[in-house]
Amino acid sequence: MKKLLIISIFFILPISSQAIESQYTITADSIFKHIEVLANDSLEGREVGEPGELKAAEYIRSVFKSAGLLSVGTDNYFQYYDFVKQIKATKNNTFSINGSNLILHKDYTLLKQSASTDFEFTKMIDVGYGIKISDDSGSYNDYRGKDVKGKLLLIKKSEPDSKDYPHIDFDRYSSFTDKINRAIKEKARGIIFYAPESQDDTLIERGVIDIHTQDIPIFFFKKSGMEKLQQAKPPYTITGTTELVTIHDTAQNVIGIVKGETDSTVIIGAHYDHLGWGTPASSHYHGKPAIHNGADDNASGVAALIELARKYAHTDIKPHYTMLFIAFSGEEAGLLGSSYFAKHMTVDSTKIRMMINMDMIGRLKDQEKGLAILDVGSTSEFTKFFDSLNYKEIKLTPSKSGYGASDHTVFTARRIPSLHLFTGAHKDYHRPSDDIDKIDADGIVKVATFVDSLLTYFDHLEKPLIFIKTKDATRGKRKKKYSVTLGVIPDHVSDVQGFKIDGVTKDKPADKAGMQKGDILIQLGDITINDIYDYMNALSKFKKGDTAKAVINRNEKEIELIVIF
């Protein structure tokens, strides 16, 4: 009987006298027109901080403004934030060996972790893969019998062939971070990484978020650079300068509000940035530089966001809860915009009721499973709704678990019930071929209509939405590298040395050890934590049942804790 009641309420609400009625109709034509603007070549892929992204933001703002949404707590609908755009090698970099000069970018480049310094070396030692292991999986030591203190090291990228060492888990020790930390621990004063003969010498660089600068110069040599290096004979005179500069930029979230009867707020979001011209680190495409228009990712979600905002701005009856529509910036660069918003909410952060995120909803007709709806288990009221739902317009695939690194994760980390809507992955993901010709505009209308019905239902539900932590659906599918978790949420916004904790999951190892939101983890086991990559490196060294010392900085005081995984 209860099940039938919920279904009947769902279908009665939109036509009842209390429903959120609007004179505005969402059409495929209006959806398509938004995507035509956002995924146009003239915006050059909407990369965060670039002029094309600003053009997209100005377009979204113009629609919000013309529709009558309010700008509350923002600068004319924009919420600005600062971010690290680039860590760049300057023209002042030099490298000379025995009088022969190497050319930056042609013969070598710098890793972003490199110090900016003058250097001079007379001794250079090849330490193979630069790996030292002594754990349950076995023993392996590239440093055995080698005095590397104060010297420049040559280290191969990658790892030894597993066929030669079948019982050793090299994956846990083979990242650049692992090798850099090991070399520093062995007291080396410089590192040259290079590719083995059988491998390509392209350096796939990671992003610039949370990078910690080391105290030594760190290079990556291309094959041409290695040839010049190998032509030199001892005694060596290796001199030069490394110089990296950090370039900051400003980006903006776009926020519009429809006031409700109460100031309790429902957030509807979608990120509007994409990959620009693409990079080896961000794109799955490896051809010549090309504009990545991101029609599905995520002009599709933004088009639905805009149309829902328009519809709610034209409601005949004010919604019960305030509706906050937000187009996030910087999602592709690491959830920059949503992380900033969560820390600097433009409304009362204690009165956020729920969040709905739309990311890649433009390929509905191509998906056998229809519309995926993730994190349904983040409140029991979501579960009741979907368990009792008999929605005929589109196929729905709700999942109680959550996964994916989209903006909703920022809100679930703050214990806000959230839903993530997604029409599925495809071969055009993060490629220039994700373009408007493959967009299913009619499908986006159906998704937006479903979101409208969902919002209507929960606008009439006066019960509080109590957050429930859901399981990560990717658990068990991860690489063996991480067999344990600490149970913390990283703070991607704060500029600190160490790993700043932005949330602690109840009953996980960090919580049981006494860690708190705002703590800065600076050591785990015997590994010093300078940034998130050191943290990930340290985490990979533990297994379930291990005990480790953790050192945190809390209010500028160092505290030792014991973590049991």
Side-chain angles (χ1 to χ4, degrees):
M1 187 66 183
K2 184 177 180 182
K3 180 175 181 179
L4 292 172
L5 178 62
I6 294 175
I7 295 174
S8 63
I9 289 174
F10 177 75
F11 285 105
I12 289 170
L13 282 177
I15 60 172
S16 71
S17 61
Q18 294 181 347
I20 303 174
E21 295 182 357
S22 174
Q23 298 174 4
Y24 188 83
T25 301
I26 299 175
T27 66
D29 184 58
S30 59
I31 289 287
F32 196 81
K33 284 179 178 177
H34 296 314
I35 299 176
E36 277 188 317
V37 174
L38 296 169
N40 190 281
D41 282 353
S42 64
L43 271 63
E44 297 187 73
R46 310 187 305 277
E47 183 179 353
V48 61
E50 292 297 309
E53 193 209 33
L54 178 58
K55 288 179 183 177
E58 289 173 339
Y59 174 75
I60 298 165
R61 173 169 65 181
S62 70
V63 180
F64 280 3
K65 191 172 184 177
S66 64
L69 275 73
L70 302 177
S71 173
V72 177
T74 55
D75 183 355
N76 192 21
Y77 299 91
F78 281 2
Q79 182 190 44
Y80 294 101
Y81 66 91
D82 177 83
F83 71 102
V84 175
K85 174 70 173 176
Q86 192 177 9
I87 299 175
K88 183 178 181 181
T90 72
K91 63 181 181 180
N92 297 326
N93 284 274
T94 61
F95 191 104
S96 173
I97 179 165
N98 293 355
S100 176
N101 296 322
L102 277 69
I103 301 172
L104 181 68
H105 301 310
K106 179 182 178 183
D107 297 322
Y108 75 99
T109 188
L110 300 180
L111 265 66
K112 293 181 174 66
Q113 301 97 315
S114 175
S116 293
T117 185
D118 296 324
F119 59 87
E120 181 175 355
F121 297 100
T122 58
K123 293 187 178 180
M124 181 169 57
I125 296 180
D126 193 318
V127 292
Y129 292 96
I131 294 173
K132 183 177 180 180
I133 302 173
S134 181
D135 62 16
D136 293 345
S137 68
S139 179
Y140 177 93
N141 189 359
D142 280 318
Y143 288 88
R144 183 175 290 114
K146 297 174 182 177
D147 178 15
V148 302
K149 183 177 180 180
K151 298 179 177 65
L152 176 64
L153 303 188
L154 292 171
I155 301 178
K156 296 177 189 177
K157 72 171 187 175
S158 190
E159 60 191 52
D161 193 328
S162 59
K163 293 178 182 178
D164 298 328
Y165 303 91
H167 303 297
I168 297 179
D169 185 6
F170 286 110
D171 188 50
R172 297 167 58 194
Y173 298 89
S174 60
S175 70
F176 282 128
T177 299
D178 287 304
K179 295 180 180 185
I180 291 168
N181 288 341
R182 171 49 59 188
I184 290 172
K185 186 168 286 190
E186 300 291 333
K187 302 189 183 308
R189 289 303 304 155
I191 301 172
I192 294 175
F193 286 106
Y194 68 99
E197 282 296 322
S198 60
Q199 295 183 17
D200 183 70
D201 65 355
T202 300
L203 175 64
I204 305 298
E205 293 192 90
R206 65 193 187 192
V208 296
I209 300 173
D210 301 324
I211 290 284
H212 170 71
T213 301
Q214 300 291 351
D215 295 328
I216 64 173
I218 306 172
F219 309 91
F220 182 83
F221 269 42
K222 300 193 177 203
K223 288 194 162 102
S224 62
M226 287 304 296
E227 288 175 4
K228 293 178 181 178
L229 209 62
Q230 289 161 356
Q231 289 169 3
K233 304 298 180 184
Y236 298 117
T237 301
I238 302 170
T239 60
T241 298
T242 54
E243 184 177 80
L244 291 165
V245 293
T246 300
I247 300 170
H248 289 257
D249 204 344
T250 300
Q252 57 286 313
N253 297 319
V254 189
I255 305 171
I257 284 179
V258 174
K259 283 283 190 180
E261 295 172 345
T262 74
D263 55 1
S264 290
T265 302
V266 173
I267 297 172
I268 306 97
H271 77 88
Y272 71 94
D273 67 297
H274 197 51
L275 301 176
W277 285 76
T279 67
S282 64
S283 175
H284 290 188
Y285 166 78
H286 302 298
K288 293 180 180 180
I291 296 172
H292 289 54
N293 279 323
D296 186 29
D297 185 14
N298 183 37
S300 64
V302 177
L305 177 81
I306 289 172
E307 287 301 287
L308 284 164
R310 276 177 158 177
K311 182 163 188 173
Y312 276 80
H314 290 85
T315 53
D316 298 324
I317 300 174
K318 188 181 288 189
H320 182 66
Y321 299 106
T322 292
M323 302 287 178
L324 185 149
F325 296 89
I326 178 166
F328 296 114
S329 163
E331 189 268 356
E332 301 285 9
L335 310 181
L336 300 182
S338 54
S339 295
Y340 185 85
F341 173 78
K343 286 180 167 298
H344 306 88
M345 288 198 184
T346 56
V347 293
D348 189 341
S349 61
T350 66
K351 295 183 178 180
I352 303 300
R353 178 167 168 80
M354 58 183 274
M355 190 269 177
I356 296 176
N357 184 54
M358 296 176 289
D359 191 352
M360 294 177 63
I361 58 168
R363 300 286 188 94
L364 184 66
K365 67 181 179 182
D366 300 329
Q367 304 300 326
E368 290 182 6
K369 294 183 179 180
L371 176 65
I373 305 163
L374 311 179
D375 257 339
V376 166
S378 61
T379 180
S380 62
E381 297 304 325
F382 287 166
T383 303
K384 291 176 186 176
F385 172 78
F386 283 100
D387 283 351
S388 306
L389 184 60
N390 185 21
Y391 194 75
K392 300 292 187 182
E393 303 304 318
I394 54 175
K395 182 177 177 58
L396 303 175
T397 305
S399 171
K400 290 186 177 181
S401 301
Y403 63 89
S406 191
D407 296 296
H408 64 291
T409 59
V410 172
F411 297 90
T412 56
R414 284 159 179 78
R415 304 185 67 78
I416 296 170
S418 303
L419 295 172
H420 176 50
L421 278 61
F422 171 56
T423 55
H426 46 74
K427 65 180 181 180
D428 303 306
Y429 173 70
H430 280 196
R431 290 181 170 90
S433 52
D434 177 11
D435 222 331
I436 193 167
D437 59 308
K438 294 169 184 161
I439 286 295
D440 176 14
D442 290 316
I444 298 173
V445 172
K446 292 176 182 178
V447 173
T449 301
F450 171 73
V451 173
D452 181 24
S453 299
L454 184 69
L455 290 169
T456 296
Y457 175 87
F458 282 98
D459 195 67
H460 287 79
L461 186 70
E462 296 185 6
K463 291 181 181 179
L465 303 182
I466 308 301
F467 178 79
I468 299 172
K469 173 67 176 176
T470 62
K471 291 182 179 180
D472 184 345
T474 60
R475 187 168 296 166
K477 300 180 184 178
R478 299 173 182 170
K479 290 184 178 181
K480 288 182 180 179
K481 189 167 183 178
Y482 303 104
S483 60
V484 297
T485 179
L486 197 57
V488 296
I489 302 298
D491 180 339
H492 290 298
V493 177
S494 298
D495 184 13
V496 299
Q497 182 168 336
F499 175 80
K500 189 168 184 181
I501 296 170
D502 199 33
V504 178
T505 303
K506 188 177 180 181
D507 294 330
K508 293 293 184 181
D511 179 50
K512 291 178 179 179
M515 294 185 192
Q516 300 175 9
K517 180 179 179 179
D519 287 346
I520 301 172
L521 182 64
I522 57 177
Q523 184 177 335
L524 187 59
D526 63 353
I527 297 177
T528 300
I529 309 297
N530 292 304
D531 54 29
I532 191 171
Y533 302 102
D534 286 335
Y535 164 72
M536 293 163 66
N537 172 42
L539 200 63
S540 72
K541 306 301 185 285
F542 299 101
K543 61 183 183 301
K544 193 170 182 179
D546 284 350
T547 298
K549 180 180 79 171
V551 181
I552 61 167
N553 185 323
R554 181 181 295 164
N555 299 324
E556 300 185 357
K557 292 183 180 180
E558 289 191 8
I559 301 172
E560 287 191 11
L561 302 171
I562 300 298
V563 175
I564 302 174
F565 289 104

